[in-house]
Amino acid sequence: ACARGPALASRAPLTAKDDLPRELLATLCERCAPADNPCGQAVTRALQEAARRENPPLQEASWSLEHAGPALGAACQELARQAVGPAAVTGPEVEPQLLALTEALAPTCVETGQLPAPLLNAAAVQQAQRAPMLATLNRAGTVETKPIEPDQPTGPGDAFRAFDQDELSGVKLPMADAGTDAALRLGYAPSLKYVVSFQVRATGPGSLRAHVRAPDGVGHAQPGGKGFFVDPTVCRFHGTGRWEICKPGVPLLDVDAVSVLPERPGVELKELEIIGAR
């Protein structure tokens, strides 16, 4: 019976006046195992179609996810792997069709606790106005925050000068080498549970990326097989020599590191404050 699900779905569109086939499909989805669950399969197909720039029916995909029953967890994992993860990394723009589908499906996964908040918030920050609905799903409350110095700076030996509260001193940022993701990497151990803003004083343009922990198979693999992360761009600074403040639309959660990337040679990072909580 489970194998007949897709055929039943094609004969039972949501708009049909006869809702008996749809009721049968709902019953099947509630009982079929994840591997052959027609609703779970429908969600995966919709994600694949959207990634190919096709336009899967959003209402149909949402219905399938809501009725996925035992396949709900696996379907939300697919959403994380195929859509939310790619939306949370710095890189090529995610297809608009995939973002639209993400906005349609994410609420169900959030409400059922099947979509990790750090990943969701990272995607909301990276996409910003391209997928504004994602920010409305933020469930993180407010906590007391303060500037937190990094535990493990990696890069120029005088990196500490960017955190010495002396606006006259600074660190010259080398251009990132091929194979590395930053001129300066600021690691936190333990990770920052909550980051709300970044304050930068620099003499040239650049950007900051947060390294946020992600589920296995989502985003980038950590070197040495230490799990996975996504790296949303959280700040673009002009480098006027004055303080610039970047405040993401939602807090970033589970931040292991912040990377500083200059846009051209000769940029000096005078001061950087990362405001958050452990």
Side-chain angles (χ1 to χ4, degrees):
C2 293
R4 292 204 192 99
L8 187 60
S10 66
R11 291 203 299 273
L14 277 174
T15 52
K17 289 190 169 63
D18 177 11
D19 56 5
L20 182 60
R22 182 60 59 166
E23 288 172 14
L24 287 172
L25 181 60
T27 302
L28 269 185
C29 288
E30 284 159 17
R31 295 180 183 176
C32 292
D36 54 1
N37 188 291
C39 285
Q41 291 168 347
V43 172
T44 299
R45 269 197 312 277
L47 287 164
Q48 292 167 345
E49 289 170 11
R52 295 195 299 264
R53 300 185 182 181
E54 297 171 20
N55 290 290
L58 301 182
Q59 195 178 358
E60 183 75 39
S62 296
W63 186 94
S64 295
L65 185 63
E66 288 163 11
H67 292 82
L72 177 65
C76 289
Q77 285 175 2
E78 279 300 300
L79 176 67
R81 189 177 66 82
Q82 294 194 45
V84 185
V89 299
T90 297
E93 282 199 347
V94 175
E95 304 300 344
Q97 295 89 337
L98 197 55
L99 287 181
L101 184 60
T102 301
E103 289 190 307
L105 299 181
T108 297
C109 292
V110 170
E111 286 161 17
T112 54
Q114 301 281 352
L115 190 60
L119 181 66
L120 174 71
N121 282 20
V125 170
Q126 175 66 27
Q127 297 304 321
Q129 291 309 307
R130 292 193 76 224
M133 201 277 289
L134 296 182
T136 68
L137 299 175
N138 169 47
R139 297 289 184 268
T142 54
V143 299
E144 193 172 321
T145 59
K146 63 179 182 180
I148 303 179
E149 290 189 21
D151 305 303
Q152 302 161 331
T154 307
D158 55 354
F160 69 91
R161 295 188 188 280
F163 301 92
D164 59 4
Q165 275 91 50
D166 182 352
E167 294 171 7
L168 296 177
S169 71
V171 53
K172 281 259 183 0
L173 297 174
M175 296 300 287
D177 297 325
T180 64
D181 65 349
L184 178 60
R185 186 181 191 275
L186 309 167
Y188 287 92
S191 62
L192 298 182
K193 291 299 175 195
Y194 202 92
V195 177
V196 294
S197 67
F198 304 84
Q199 301 188 54
V200 188
R201 190 168 180 141
T203 62
S207 61
L208 305 178
R209 296 179 193 172
H211 292 224
V212 176
R213 288 185 197 174
D216 283 352
V218 175
H220 306 296
Q222 294 269 24
K226 296 177 182 173
F228 289 78
F229 71 97
V230 291
D231 62 343
T233 295
V234 295
C235 182
R236 294 188 185 280
F237 54 88
H238 301 291
T240 60
R242 297 192 182 93
W243 281 106
E244 298 175 60
I245 299 172
C246 292
K247 189 171 172 56
V250 294
L252 293 149
L253 312 173
D254 285 355
V255 175
D256 281 330
V258 174
S259 292
V260 187
L261 297 97
E263 285 183 14
R264 58 169 172 77
V267 173
E268 187 175 10
L269 181 64
K270 291 290 192 181
E271 286 290 311
L272 173 60
E273 287 192 347
I274 298 167
I275 316 295
R278 290 218 187 255

